Every structure is written in structure tokens, then in C-alpha cells.
Amino acid sequence: MADADPIKTMEEGGMRTWQWLAVAMTVALNALDGFDVLSISFAAPGIAKEWGVDQGILGWVLSMELLGMAIGSILLGGVADKYGRRPTILGCLVAMTIGMWFAGTAGSVNELLVWRLITGLGIGGMLAAINATAAEFSNARWRSVAMALMVIGYPIGGATGG
């Protein structure tokens, strides 16, 4: 058994509890992403009214996180491959937390734009890393189910926020 290939063992073996827990964590992280992306939609009318923001500026506020996600997924997906998924996921979680926290305390539209961009960078990197994580932690038989579960975390988070 000492000569057994660990990758082959995991691919061909049954899904263990710790593997399902790892997949569940990717679902939860994706739900957090879905909640945050859609939360600005719920807050937008209040932001527009309180700060007197017109539709054009509000469009930038709503889009800034998506721009950050695009940049983060492109830049940080490679970081996860090079330095590891766990440190990348944890770093992205820190960026998301900082961005979310300070977006809630922003005093101007410009501040909100910056914090939404930072949050988006974290989310983009997170999405790139958790896709591969869910696939790597599941065996061949359950991989498609694990990936489907990870993907449905996003709408679960959005619906929970709604």
C-alpha cells in the first residue's frame, strides 16, 4: 500500500466525509459571493436616494464589483495554480472581507467604487480557485455532482440575501 498513488486512490475511491466537507465549503464560499454581488442591487435605491446619485453613476457602482471579478479571476487564477489554492482562497477571503466591511462604511461614491472593486477582485480570485478545488477534492464518480453543487452556491447566496 506504500506504493499506491494517492491521486489514483482518491480518484477511484469513495467520497469521504472530509471530501464532502471541502465541497460544502466551496458551496458556502460561492454563496457568499452570490450574496455580495446581489446585495448592492438591493441597496442601490437607498444609495441613490441618500447620496443623490444619478443613474449613470449608480451603474458604475453596480458594475464595479463585476469589473473587479473579471480582473481578479484573470490575475488570481494563475496565482492559485502557482502558489496553491488554499493561500489564494484565504487571501481572496481577506480581500472580500475588507472590501465588504469598508463598502458598508463608505462615505462617498468614490470610496464605495474602490471598496466594491477590491471586493470584486477577491470574489474573482475566489471563483477561479474554488472551481478547481471542488473538482480536485472529489472522486471521478462524484465530480460532476460536486461541481454542480459548487455552482448552485451562487444563486443560493443571492436568494438568501433577497
Side-chain angles (χ1 to χ4, degrees):
M1 195 63 151
D3 294 334
D5 179 17
I7 294 173
K8 185 176 179 183
T9 301
M10 199 161 114
E11 279 285 315
E12 296 172 359
M15 285 284 283
R16 295 199 163 89
T17 302
W18 66 269
Q19 290 171 285
W20 284 116
L21 288 173
V23 171
M25 185 61 65
T26 65
V27 174
L29 290 169
N30 208 5
L32 180 63
D33 297 345
F35 175 83
D36 185 67
V37 167
L38 293 176
S39 67
I40 194 69
S41 300
F42 303 128
I47 292 169
K49 183 178 177 182
E50 187 170 325
W51 287 349
V53 175
D54 69 17
Q55 295 288 331
I57 300 297
L58 193 58
W60 277 102
V61 170
L62 293 169
S63 301
M64 192 54 65
E65 187 166 339
L66 299 174
L67 177 63
M69 288 172 63
I71 295 167
S73 64
I74 291 168
L75 296 179
L76 298 174
V79 170
D81 291 336
K82 187 173 183 179
Y83 297 106
R85 309 234 187 278
R86 184 172 185 240
T88 303
I89 289 171
L90 292 174
C92 289
L93 196 54
V94 168
M96 289 169 55
T97 302
I98 290 169
M100 287 179 196
W101 177 267
F102 285 107
T105 64
S108 70
V109 172
N110 289 336
E111 279 184 59
L112 184 57
L113 290 172
V114 169
W115 295 120
R116 296 289 294 166
L117 180 67
I118 291 169
T119 304
L121 289 170
I123 289 175
M126 176 81 67
L127 290 174
I130 65 173
N131 283 321
T133 301
E136 289 173 353
F137 273 90
S138 53
N139 65 11
R141 178 177 178 215
W142 290 99
R143 185 164 295 126
S144 60
V145 172
M147 295 301 295
L149 290 172
M150 186 276 307
V151 169
I152 65 167
Y154 197 88
I156 288 171
T160 301

